[in-house]
Amino acid sequence: MSAARGPRWIIFDAVGTLIFADPPVHLVYHRIGSAHGSRLSAGEVRTRFRSAFSSRTGATADGAPRKTSESEERRFWRAVVADVFPDVSDVTACFGELFEHFASATAWQCFADVAETVPIFQSRGFRLAIASNFDGRLHRVCRGLEELTAFEKVIVSSEVGYAKPARQFFDSLLEQCGCSRDSVVFVGDDAVADIAGARQSGLEAVHLDRTGRQGDQVIQTLTELPALLSGS
C-alpha cells in the first residue's frame, strides 16, 4: 500500500474496531436482567447471549444480502433479550432498558489506540468515517466520545437498508462519502462482514485482529496502520 496512491478515506467498523462495551455486554445484561427478576448467573447469561446473537448473520439462509431497518433492529434485539431471559416476565420492559443503555456513550469506550492514531491520519490528510452494522443509536454514541469527533460520517446498516457484507452496504458508503472504490481503505475486525465484504465490493481492506493473528494486511493494533498506509 503505497503513499502515492494512498486512499483519501479510511473507513472503520465500530464495535471491536474503534469501540467496546464497558462494562462488557453480558455483565450489563446480567445486571439489568436480574433487576427484572432473572435468576440466571452471569456465566449463563453470557452463554445464552452468544447463542442468541449468533443468529445475526450477514446473509439470509438462501445466501441473499441481509436487509435491515430501524424497526428490524429493534425486533432483533428484543428477540435476543427474550432468548437470553426465559425467566423474565416483562421482556418488553427489560428490552427497553437494555436498548437504551447501549444508546448512551457512557456504555462504550474507545480503544486506547484510537486517540493515538487519529491525529496521525488527520495530519496526513485522510478523511475518516465509520461504517457499522449498528442502528441509529450509534450516532448518539459517537457524538459522546471525544475521540470520534474527527470522523466526518457515521454510516449504519439500519439506515442503509442492508447489512455488511452486502455489496449494497459498501456501495452506499461510497455514495455517502462521495468517493471512488480506489480512494478507500476499510478497516474492521470481522473477517467476513468487514474484510470479505469490503474486498468483494472492490475496496482495499485491512483486518484488525486484536487477538494476535498474523498475515498479509492483518494488524493487531491501529498503531500499525499508519506504517502500512505509507508502505513502510
Side-chain angles (χ1 to χ4, degrees):
M1 195 180 300
S2 67
R5 69 176 188 87
R8 291 187 58 227
W9 284 86
I10 309 175
I11 302 181
F12 298 82
D13 169 56
V15 180
T17 300
L18 297 175
I19 63 175
F20 63 96
D22 184 32
V25 171
H26 77 280
L27 293 183
V28 175
Y29 266 64
H30 178 253
R31 174 176 61 80
I32 292 178
S34 297
H36 285 270
S38 174
R39 296 188 177 183
L40 296 176
S41 69
E44 290 171 322
V45 170
R46 178 171 54 190
T47 299
R48 296 185 67 88
F49 177 84
R50 288 175 176 173
S51 176
F53 187 77
S54 68
S55 66
R56 189 179 182 77
T57 58
T60 59
D62 61 3
R66 182 169 69 84
K67 294 183 178 181
T68 188
S69 64
E70 285 292 305
S71 60
E72 173 61 21
E73 294 301 304
R74 290 187 67 91
R75 184 208 64 77
F76 171 80
W77 285 111
R78 189 190 185 286
V80 167
V81 173
D83 286 347
V84 172
F85 296 115
D87 56 346
V88 166
S89 58
D90 191 347
V91 171
T92 297
C94 185
F95 156 71
E97 189 171 344
L98 282 163
F99 197 80
E100 184 60 25
H101 172 88
F102 290 107
S104 171
T106 60
W108 303 90
Q109 284 195 38
C110 287
F111 289 99
D113 52 11
V114 177
E116 185 176 350
T117 53
V118 165
I120 299 174
F121 302 137
Q122 290 180 294
S123 70
R124 295 186 182 182
F126 290 110
R127 302 177 70 180
L128 307 176
I130 296 169
S132 172
N133 279 355
F134 210 116
D135 52 65
R137 293 175 295 169
L138 186 59
H139 295 291
R140 195 200 315 180
V141 170
C142 291
R143 286 194 299 269
L145 294 172
E146 183 178 356
E147 299 94 325
L148 303 183
T149 56
F151 289 76
E152 298 180 45
K153 302 281 185 180
V154 177
I155 300 160
V156 294
S157 57
S158 64
E159 296 170 353
V160 170
Y162 288 90
K164 295 178 292 184
R167 186 183 182 95
Q168 292 93 330
F169 180 91
F170 292 96
D171 287 346
S172 179
L173 73 83
L174 292 173
E175 181 179 358
Q176 293 190 52
C177 292
C179 57
S180 60
R181 297 183 194 281
D182 61 2
S183 66
V184 169
V185 63
F186 193 93
V187 181
D189 69 303
D190 190 300
V192 176
D194 296 326
I195 307 309
R199 290 174 179 167
Q200 290 168 5
S201 299
L203 307 183
E204 192 158 15
V206 175
H207 188 183
L208 173 64
D209 190 330
R210 297 182 182 276
T211 65
R213 176 183 171 188
Q214 300 289 333
D216 182 48
Q217 298 289 79
V218 178
I219 57 177
Q220 298 177 38
T221 171
L222 291 178
T223 58
E224 299 174 59
L225 188 57
L228 187 62
L229 292 176
S230 66
S232 60

